[in-house]
Amino acid sequence: MKSLLIACAVIFMSCASTSSQKSSAVQGNTELLVSESQGGTDKPGFKIINDEKEFRNIIQGSFGIADLGKESYIKYPQFPKNKKVVLYNLGTFRSGSHKIEEVKGVTVKNQILYVEVPAGEPSGGMEIQVISSPWFIFTVPTDYKFTSVELKYSK
């Protein structure tokens, strides 16, 4: 039993210490810039990021500790000049496997921004049992006007 607990702790530590940001264009109208399984807020919600400084302050911990005032070896995503940048917090989960890996598309209807993301498939094996607060940052066209954001899960 003790060796099983040690193995689980090692697995958890290696999963928790890996940072995986994604910077791939999904469609012409959206791009996933950063996605993390930890560090978000307890409740779901969104925030528009208005400038480069605010963007860097939010993502700084995701890429390791670095002084933003000095030349850095860390390759940060660029703050898009011609897009609206949105931070979305998914809220709190009781397992550590919640993370957005892709944004399939975005649409606006009745001032609600619908963000289509892949539905998480259960692995069938052991899941990390730890409180997680995932979040991600993505872009939308600047002319999108919305007052709330909802995730749409698809296969």
Side-chain angles (χ1 to χ4, degrees), residues 118-133:
E121 298 293 324
S123 63
M126 279 188 2
E127 255 190 16
I128 298 171
Q129 296 296 307
V130 63
I131 301 294
S132 65
S133 300

Side-chain angles (χ1 to χ4, degrees), residues 15-24 26 31-40 49 55 58-64 75-77 85-90 93 96-104 115-118 132-139 151 153:
C15 291
S17 65
T18 58
S19 170
S20 55
Q21 292 72 31
K22 207 165 199 168
S23 182
S24 62
V26 178
E31 182 180 359
L32 179 63
L33 298 175
V34 181
S35 181
E36 289 294 333
S37 60
Q38 293 293 341
I49 301 173
F55 177 66
I58 292 169
I59 68 170
Q60 182 177 7
S62 299
F63 291 85
K75 179 81 170 125
Y76 290 99
V85 180
V86 182
L87 164 66
Y88 187 79
N89 291 291
L90 279 73
F93 295 89
S97 61
H98 296 275
K99 185 175 175 185
I100 302 300
E101 298 288 344
E102 174 186 5
V103 174
K104 292 183 170 185
V115 181
E116 185 181 354
V117 296
S132 65
S133 300
W135 59 275
F136 65 106
I137 298 175
F138 61 100
T139 63
L151 297 185
Y153 293 94

Side-chain angles (χ1 to χ4, degrees), residues 28-29 31 78-85 139-144:
N29 63 351
E31 182 180 359
Q78 292 297 309
F79 183 78
K81 303 284 187 232
N82 58 348
K83 299 268 185 170
K84 194 176 283 188
V85 180
T139 63
V140 297
T142 54
D143 61 342
Y144 278 23

